[in-house]
Amino acid sequence: MGSALSFQLFGFAVSIAAGFVLGAVYDVLRIWRDFLHSSKRTVFFQDFFYMAFCAFFSFLLALPLGEGAVRVYLLAGESVGWFAYYFTVGQVTAKVSSLLSGLLYRYLFDPAGRILRRFAVFLSKKGKNALEFVKKKAPKRKKRLKPHGS
């Protein structure tokens, strides 16, 4: 009886660690969203695939620890680990990534975007000039069906 209880305690501890890992994976998604300014549709699909990953991960965890059965203490352990990560390390990484994202956008991405927009306007003006030139010269060209013979 004692060995079964210690195995369950071991399983609970492993599931807490697994929940911590799942929290870190979610944190990577959260940082990704912060840097790329994801749309609502993208966030939906990211969350959907994250939940599918968590379900598969929990299933693989339950095979050796729960002998293939879903055990409440394993799911509770994963939840405890996930929330422990989210409210400790996750809060710190969220603040740091938000600050870093703001600095990168302010000093790197926004100036680069302005330069690219100016270049695009320049190319657009040159393209319009070339198109006008072609439209002007096209009617003056001779249209021959057959090349001149010598």
Side-chain angles (χ1 to χ4, degrees):
M1 181 96 170
S3 66
L5 188 59
S6 64
F7 184 71
Q8 289 176 353
L9 188 59
F10 171 75
F12 185 69
V14 169
S15 66
I16 288 175
F20 208 79
V21 168
L22 290 175
V25 170
Y26 186 75
D27 213 21
V28 169
L29 278 177
R30 193 166 51 165
I31 291 169
W32 177 285
R33 291 175 190 165
D34 196 26
F35 276 94
L36 297 182
H37 299 294
S38 299
S39 66
K40 288 181 181 182
R41 179 179 291 178
T42 306
V43 170
F44 171 78
F45 283 111
Q46 285 175 352
D47 283 345
F48 178 78
F49 288 122
Y50 173 74
M51 286 185 287
F53 171 76
C54 287
F56 184 68
F57 189 81
S58 298
F59 169 73
L60 290 180
L61 186 70
L63 284 176
L65 296 176
E67 298 165 352
V70 177
R71 307 285 182 188
V72 174
Y73 67 89
L74 294 176
L75 295 176
E78 282 184 11
S79 299
V80 167
W82 194 92
F83 282 111
Y85 180 88
Y86 184 80
F87 288 114
T88 56
V89 179
Q91 296 298 313
V92 173
T93 58
K95 297 271 190 225
V96 169
S97 71
S98 178
L99 177 68
L100 187 61
S101 173
L103 289 174
L104 281 175
Y105 270 94
R106 184 173 182 182
Y107 294 111
L108 181 67
F109 299 140
D110 284 344
R114 282 194 295 273
I115 290 170
L116 287 175
R117 277 191 294 279
R118 286 181 186 162
F119 185 65
V121 167
F122 172 76
L123 287 180
S124 151
K125 285 180 183 177
K126 292 296 179 185
K128 284 181 185 176
N129 291 342
L131 187 63
E132 287 175 11
F133 178 76
V134 169
K135 282 183 180 178
K136 220 185 266 187
K137 295 293 182 181
K140 295 177 183 176
R141 286 187 56 214
K142 291 184 180 179
K143 296 181 174 112
R144 297 186 177 119
L145 296 176
K146 188 164 126 177
H148 280 289
S150 54

